[in-house]
Amino acid sequence: MAHRIIDRISYHAVYDESITDALEYARDNGFHGIQIAVETPHLAFEALSPETVREIASLVASQNSFVSVHAPDDGLSIFQHSPILREGMHQYYRALFDFASNIKARLVTIHLGSMAVFRTDTRRQLTVPEADLSVYRGVAAHNLNTLIDATADRFILCIESYALDEFSLFLLKPYLENQRLALCWDIAKTWNNPALERYFFSSLDHVKQVHLHDIRSDEDGASRSHCVIGSGEIDFTSYLNRLASADIPDYCIEVRPREKARESLEELKNLLGPI
């Protein structure tokens, strides 16, 4: 089963000079694709000419690789309730989805975002007024339906595991069941969260992208993620053995810069063993 993962490994293109530069690095260093960080100004799709977009699509096809797109984290919350801000968000996503389609992206991954919460003097936990929860349920459904319609079945739309909770998983359930949405599992971001890990292991049929990076504690005791695989505390072998039989098109190494992603790729090969 090892080859099913090795043949689907990409890396997160963030510090590359351009998208074509990232694709060429992927081709020359054993990766089968890239995930584009379109929120960075130098990789922003809005600045690309139609000729460059066609060049990217041609390069993807000629080297038999694949691309995925990671939407910006900030400012695009599915819980956005302002109709004025929502229209701007939907306009951005329509343009992003057209770009993803034009370069033949395999999938687009988004974060759900969060509801507005404020700390108080009287409660330890963050709470949302019940009246607002009702609004958030409605706008989340509206926003998700709008985004799904905008994909027009041109690629897989994935929701990343980052910040998912019981409330958001309840909202996602019908979309996952009818396969209008899929999941992206960032293993490091559910690590040490047994309930969420159980959910993802029981939902592998819905997982279409996996993010891979390690967690390591610094000398001062602070832990940080997006570290080279094998340099930290996550036992990747146990995850990979269970993931190998799942139908997951993209295993993205989210370790930066790309030279460290390549180190992670070599470690993954060691963990997976002979092909």
Side-chain angles (χ1 to χ4, degrees):
M1 288 294 185
H3 70 283
R4 295 195 61 181
I5 293 179
I6 289 297
D7 292 346
R8 303 176 185 188
I9 292 181
S10 63
Y11 80 90
H12 195 192
V14 176
Y15 295 107
D16 306 79
E17 292 183 5
S18 66
I19 296 173
T20 53
D21 172 54
L23 284 166
E24 290 166 355
Y25 184 86
R27 177 197 61 204
D28 297 339
N29 289 275
F31 297 96
H32 290 265
I34 61 171
Q35 175 181 256
I36 307 168
V38 294
E39 62 266 57
T40 59
H42 69 289
L43 298 179
F45 71 94
E46 300 97 324
L48 300 176
S49 67
E51 292 75 19
T52 301
V53 172
R54 287 193 291 270
E55 180 186 358
I56 293 168
S58 177
L59 188 56
V60 170
S62 66
Q63 63 187 44
N64 194 29
S65 58
F66 65 88
V67 290
S68 65
V69 176
H70 198 307
D73 300 343
D74 298 327
L76 295 175
S77 174
I78 295 302
F79 297 104
Q80 179 53 251
H81 59 89
S82 164
I84 299 172
L85 293 175
R86 279 207 310 268
E87 179 50 38
M89 179 176 74
H90 294 160
Q91 183 178 353
Y92 175 85
Y93 270 127
R94 286 192 292 269
L96 177 65
F97 290 173
D98 286 344
F99 166 70
S101 176
N102 288 335
I103 63 171
K104 310 300 181 186
R106 183 172 287 183
L107 52 85
V108 174
T109 296
I110 68 174
H111 287 187
L112 275 190
S114 59
M115 298 171 281
V117 293
F118 300 91
R119 297 192 179 278
T120 71
D121 180 70
T122 55
R123 293 186 180 182
R124 193 177 286 272
Q125 70 273 23
L126 299 174
T127 59
V128 178
E130 184 56 42
D132 287 353
L133 281 177
S134 177
V135 173
Y136 283 130
R137 290 187 190 98
V139 298
H142 170 78
N143 289 330
L144 286 173
N145 287 331
T146 301
L147 295 191
I148 291 168
D149 290 344
T151 67
D153 296 322
R154 293 176 291 179
F155 47 79
I156 300 169
L157 184 60
C158 289
I159 306 296
E160 191 182 322
S161 54
Y162 176 73
L164 290 186
D165 56 18
E166 186 176 354
F167 180 76
S168 55
L169 289 174
F170 175 78
L171 294 176
L172 291 176
K173 183 178 180 181
Y175 297 97
L176 296 171
E177 290 179 344
N178 62 23
Q179 299 182 338
R180 298 180 73 199
L181 289 174
L183 293 170
C184 166
W185 185 5
D186 190 317
I187 289 174
K189 292 174 183 172
T190 63
W191 188 65
N192 276 351
N193 186 332
L196 205 50
E197 286 211 335
R198 284 194 299 270
Y199 171 81
F200 273 90
F201 274 126
S202 67
S203 305
L204 287 182
D205 287 347
H206 301 307
V207 176
K208 297 304 175 184
Q209 186 183 47
V210 173
H211 287 171
L212 300 169
H213 53 100
D214 217 332
I215 293 177
R216 188 173 67 235
S217 296
D218 291 333
E219 292 181 359
D220 60 2
S223 63
R224 57 190 181 97
S225 59
H226 298 284
C227 299
V228 170
I229 291 170
S231 69
E233 303 172 45
I234 298 178
D235 178 8
F236 282 95
T237 302
S238 64
Y239 290 98
L240 296 172
N241 286 339
R242 297 179 67 176
L243 290 168
S245 59
D247 181 21
I248 299 172
D250 183 15
Y251 291 83
C252 180
I253 297 177
E254 280 202 330
V255 179
R256 283 87 62 169
R258 62 191 187 182
E259 291 78 14
K260 292 298 182 180
R262 191 178 186 282
E263 287 182 27
S264 296
L265 175 61
E266 295 306 313
E267 178 61 19
L268 280 178
K269 289 178 179 178
N270 292 333
L271 293 174
L272 291 167
I275 298 175

PDB file of all heavy atoms in Angstrom, residues 4-19:
ATOM      1  N   ARG A   4       0.599   3.880  -2.787  1.00  0.00           N
ATOM      2  CA  ARG A   4      -0.625   4.667  -2.879  1.00  0.00           C
ATOM      3  C   ARG A   4      -0.466   6.013  -2.192  1.00  0.00           C
ATOM      4  O   ARG A   4      -1.129   6.981  -2.548  1.00  0.00           O
ATOM      5  CB  ARG A   4      -1.808   3.915  -2.278  1.00  0.00           C
ATOM      6  CG  ARG A   4      -2.179   2.648  -3.011  1.00  0.00           C
ATOM      7  CD  ARG A   4      -3.542   2.156  -2.601  1.00  0.00           C
ATOM      8  NE  ARG A   4      -4.580   3.133  -2.904  1.00  0.00           N
ATOM      9  CZ  ARG A   4      -5.870   2.942  -2.629  1.00  0.00           C
ATOM     10  NH1 ARG A   4      -6.264   1.823  -2.052  1.00  0.00           N
ATOM     11  NH2 ARG A   4      -6.761   3.867  -2.937  1.00  0.00           N
ATOM     12  N   ILE A   5       0.412   6.074  -1.214  1.00  0.00           N
ATOM     13  CA  ILE A   5       0.690   7.344  -0.551  1.00  0.00           C
ATOM     14  C   ILE A   5       1.822   8.079  -1.271  1.00  0.00           C
ATOM     15  O   ILE A   5       1.693   9.265  -1.581  1.00  0.00           O
ATOM     16  CB  ILE A   5       1.040   7.106   0.925  1.00  0.00           C
ATOM     17  CG1 ILE A   5      -0.193   6.584   1.675  1.00  0.00           C
ATOM     18  CG2 ILE A   5       1.566   8.384   1.570  1.00  0.00           C
ATOM     19  CD1 ILE A   5       0.043   6.295   3.143  1.00  0.00           C
ATOM     20  N   ILE A   6       2.919   7.394  -1.556  1.00  0.00           N
ATOM     21  CA  ILE A   6       4.076   8.033  -2.184  1.00  0.00           C
ATOM     22  C   ILE A   6       3.697   8.705  -3.499  1.00  0.00           C
ATOM     23  O   ILE A   6       4.173   9.804  -3.817  1.00  0.00           O
ATOM     24  CB  ILE A   6       5.204   7.002  -2.418  1.00  0.00           C
ATOM     25  CG1 ILE A   6       5.845   6.600  -1.082  1.00  0.00           C
ATOM     26  CG2 ILE A   6       6.270   7.563  -3.354  1.00  0.00           C
ATOM     27  CD1 ILE A   6       6.533   7.739  -0.358  1.00  0.00           C
ATOM     28  N   ASP A   7       2.821   8.084  -4.278  1.00  0.00           N
ATOM     29  CA  ASP A   7       2.423   8.639  -5.567  1.00  0.00           C
ATOM     30  C   ASP A   7       1.475   9.830  -5.440  1.00  0.00           C
ATOM     31  O   ASP A   7       1.114  10.429  -6.455  1.00  0.00           O
ATOM     32  CB  ASP A   7       1.751   7.567  -6.425  1.00  0.00           C
ATOM     33  CG  ASP A   7       2.719   6.486  -6.851  1.00  0.00           C
ATOM     34  OD1 ASP A   7       3.939   6.698  -6.706  1.00  0.00           O
ATOM     35  OD2 ASP A   7       2.270   5.424  -7.321  1.00  0.00           O
ATOM     36  N   ARG A   8       1.092  10.179  -4.219  1.00  0.00           N
ATOM     37  CA  ARG A   8       0.118  11.250  -4.024  1.00  0.00           C
ATOM     38  C   ARG A   8       0.643  12.349  -3.092  1.00  0.00           C
ATOM     39  O   ARG A   8      -0.141  13.111  -2.534  1.00  0.00           O
ATOM     40  CB  ARG A   8      -1.176  10.655  -3.446  1.00  0.00           C
ATOM     41  CG  ARG A   8      -1.775   9.564  -4.327  1.00  0.00           C
ATOM     42  CD  ARG A   8      -2.986   8.935  -3.707  1.00  0.00           C
ATOM     43  NE  ARG A   8      -3.458   7.811  -4.527  1.00  0.00           N
ATOM     44  CZ  ARG A   8      -4.596   7.146  -4.333  1.00  0.00           C
ATOM     45  NH1 ARG A   8      -5.382   7.514  -3.331  1.00  0.00           N
ATOM     46  NH2 ARG A   8      -4.947   6.162  -5.121  1.00  0.00           N
ATOM     47  N   ILE A   9       1.942  12.428  -2.965  1.00  0.00           N
ATOM     48  CA  ILE A   9       2.518  13.405  -2.030  1.00  0.00           C
ATOM     49  C   ILE A   9       2.839  14.718  -2.746  1.00  0.00           C
ATOM     50  O   ILE A   9       3.500  14.741  -3.780  1.00  0.00           O
ATOM     51  CB  ILE A   9       3.773  12.844  -1.349  1.00  0.00           C
ATOM     52  CG1 ILE A   9       3.390  11.698  -0.409  1.00  0.00           C
ATOM     53  CG2 ILE A   9       4.491  13.945  -0.558  1.00  0.00           C
ATOM     54  CD1 ILE A   9       4.542  11.078   0.323  1.00  0.00           C
ATOM     55  N   SER A  10       2.362  15.807  -2.152  1.00  0.00           N
ATOM     56  CA  SER A  10       2.652  17.152  -2.630  1.00  0.00           C
ATOM     57  C   SER A  10       3.355  17.929  -1.518  1.00  0.00           C
ATOM     58  O   SER A  10       3.529  17.417  -0.410  1.00  0.00           O
ATOM     59  CB  SER A  10       1.357  17.863  -3.032  1.00  0.00           C
ATOM     60  OG  SER A  10       0.497  18.016  -1.902  1.00  0.00           O
ATOM     61  N   TYR A  11       3.735  19.145  -1.813  1.00  0.00           N
ATOM     62  CA  TYR A  11       4.251  20.009  -0.747  1.00  0.00           C
ATOM     63  C   TYR A  11       3.575  21.372  -0.847  1.00  0.00           C
ATOM     64  O   TYR A  11       3.041  21.759  -1.892  1.00  0.00           O
ATOM     65  CB  TYR A  11       5.774  20.123  -0.785  1.00  0.00           C
ATOM     66  CG  TYR A  11       6.337  21.102  -1.800  1.00  0.00           C
ATOM     67  CD1 TYR A  11       6.558  22.448  -1.471  1.00  0.00           C
ATOM     68  CD2 TYR A  11       6.677  20.686  -3.083  1.00  0.00           C
ATOM     69  CE1 TYR A  11       7.081  23.333  -2.391  1.00  0.00           C
ATOM     70  CE2 TYR A  11       7.203  21.566  -4.013  1.00  0.00           C
ATOM     71  CZ  TYR A  11       7.397  22.889  -3.663  1.00  0.00           C
ATOM     72  OH  TYR A  11       7.912  23.774  -4.584  1.00  0.00           O
ATOM     73  N   HIS A  12       3.601  22.108   0.260  1.00  0.00           N
ATOM     74  CA  HIS A  12       2.940  23.403   0.358  1.00  0.00           C
ATOM     75  C   HIS A  12       3.846  24.479  -0.224  1.00  0.00           C
ATOM     76  O   HIS A  12       4.872  24.825   0.361  1.00  0.00           O
ATOM     77  CB  HIS A  12       2.618  23.703   1.827  1.00  0.00           C
ATOM     78  CG  HIS A  12       1.645  24.813   2.011  1.00  0.00           C
ATOM     79  ND1 HIS A  12       1.409  25.398   3.239  1.00  0.00           N
ATOM     80  CD2 HIS A  12       0.832  25.463   1.140  1.00  0.00           C
ATOM     81  CE1 HIS A  12       0.492  26.341   3.109  1.00  0.00           C
ATOM     82  NE2 HIS A  12       0.131  26.407   1.849  1.00  0.00           N
ATOM     83  N   ALA A  13       3.485  25.006  -1.375  1.00  0.00           N
ATOM     84  CA  ALA A  13       4.278  26.030  -2.045  1.00  0.00           C
ATOM     85  C   ALA A  13       3.963  27.388  -1.432  1.00  0.00           C
ATOM     86  O   ALA A  13       2.875  27.928  -1.620  1.00  0.00           O
ATOM     87  CB  ALA A  13       3.980  26.029  -3.538  1.00  0.00           C
ATOM     88  N   VAL A  14       4.921  27.920  -0.679  1.00  0.00           N
ATOM     89  CA  VAL A  14       4.752  29.208  -0.001  1.00  0.00           C
ATOM     90  C   VAL A  14       5.896  30.160  -0.351  1.00  0.00           C
ATOM     91  O   VAL A  14       5.669  31.305  -0.755  1.00  0.00           O
ATOM     92  CB  VAL A  14       4.689  29.023   1.529  1.00  0.00           C
ATOM     93  CG1 VAL A  14       4.609  30.375   2.233  1.00  0.00           C
ATOM     94  CG2 VAL A  14       3.505  28.148   1.917  1.00  0.00           C
ATOM     95  N   TYR A  15       7.131  29.699  -0.214  1.00  0.00           N
ATOM     96  CA  TYR A  15       8.289  30.559  -0.413  1.00  0.00           C
ATOM     97  C   TYR A  15       8.923  30.387  -1.797  1.00  0.00           C
ATOM     98  O   TYR A  15      10.026  30.876  -2.035  1.00  0.00           O
ATOM     99  CB  TYR A  15       9.318  30.298   0.677  1.00  0.00           C
ATOM    100  CG  TYR A  15       8.807  30.687   2.050  1.00  0.00           C
ATOM    101  CD1 TYR A  15       8.459  29.721   2.986  1.00  0.00           C
ATOM    102  CD2 TYR A  15       8.634  32.025   2.385  1.00  0.00           C
ATOM    103  CE1 TYR A  15       7.955  30.080   4.235  1.00  0.00           C
ATOM    104  CE2 TYR A  15       8.139  32.395   3.627  1.00  0.00           C
ATOM    105  CZ  TYR A  15       7.811  31.413   4.541  1.00  0.00           C
ATOM    106  OH  TYR A  15       7.320  31.785   5.767  1.00  0.00           O
ATOM    107  N   ASP A  16       8.225  29.726  -2.698  1.00  0.00           N
ATOM    108  CA  ASP A  16       8.706  29.563  -4.058  1.00  0.00           C
ATOM    109  C   ASP A  16       8.573  30.881  -4.825  1.00  0.00           C
ATOM    110  O   ASP A  16       7.721  31.718  -4.518  1.00  0.00           O
ATOM    111  CB  ASP A  16       7.895  28.471  -4.761  1.00  0.00           C
ATOM    112  CG  ASP A  16       7.888  27.182  -3.973  1.00  0.00           C
ATOM    113  OD1 ASP A  16       7.120  27.099  -2.992  1.00  0.00           O
ATOM    114  OD2 ASP A  16       8.639  26.276  -4.328  1.00  0.00           O
ATOM    115  N   GLU A  17       9.397  31.051  -5.847  1.00  0.00           N
ATOM    116  CA  GLU A  17       9.360  32.291  -6.620  1.00  0.00           C
ATOM    117  C   GLU A  17       8.064  32.445  -7.398  1.00  0.00           C
ATOM    118  O   GLU A  17       7.570  33.554  -7.591  1.00  0.00           O
ATOM    119  CB  GLU A  17      10.552  32.338  -7.572  1.00  0.00           C
ATOM    120  CG  GLU A  17      11.898  32.477  -6.875  1.00  0.00           C
ATOM    121  CD  GLU A  17      13.044  32.597  -7.860  1.00  0.00           C
ATOM    122  OE1 GLU A  17      12.762  32.657  -9.085  1.00  0.00           O
ATOM    123  OE2 GLU A  17      14.201  32.622  -7.418  1.00  0.00           O
ATOM    124  N   SER A  18       7.520  31.341  -7.853  1.00  0.00           N
ATOM    125  CA  SER A  18       6.300  31.367  -8.650  1.00  0.00           C
ATOM    126  C   SER A  18       5.672  29.983  -8.622  1.00  0.00           C
ATOM    127  O   SER A  18       6.269  29.014  -8.117  1.00  0.00           O
ATOM    128  CB  SER A  18       6.600  31.767 -10.096  1.00  0.00           C
ATOM    129  OG  SER A  18       7.390  30.762 -10.724  1.00  0.00           O
ATOM    130  N   ILE A  19       4.476  29.877  -9.173  1.00  0.00           N
ATOM    131  CA  ILE A  19       3.814  28.579  -9.228  1.00  0.00           C
ATOM    132  C   ILE A  19       4.551  27.645 -10.172  1.00  0.00           C
ATOM    133  O   ILE A  19       4.724  26.451  -9.880  1.00  0.00           O
ATOM    134  CB  ILE A  19       2.334  28.750  -9.635  1.00  0.00           C
ATOM    135  CG1 ILE A  19       1.590  29.559  -8.565  1.00  0.00           C
ATOM    136  CG2 ILE A  19       1.665  27.387  -9.823  1.00  0.00           C
ATOM    137  CD1 ILE A  19       0.172  29.937  -8.944  1.00  0.00           C
TER     138      ILE A  19
END
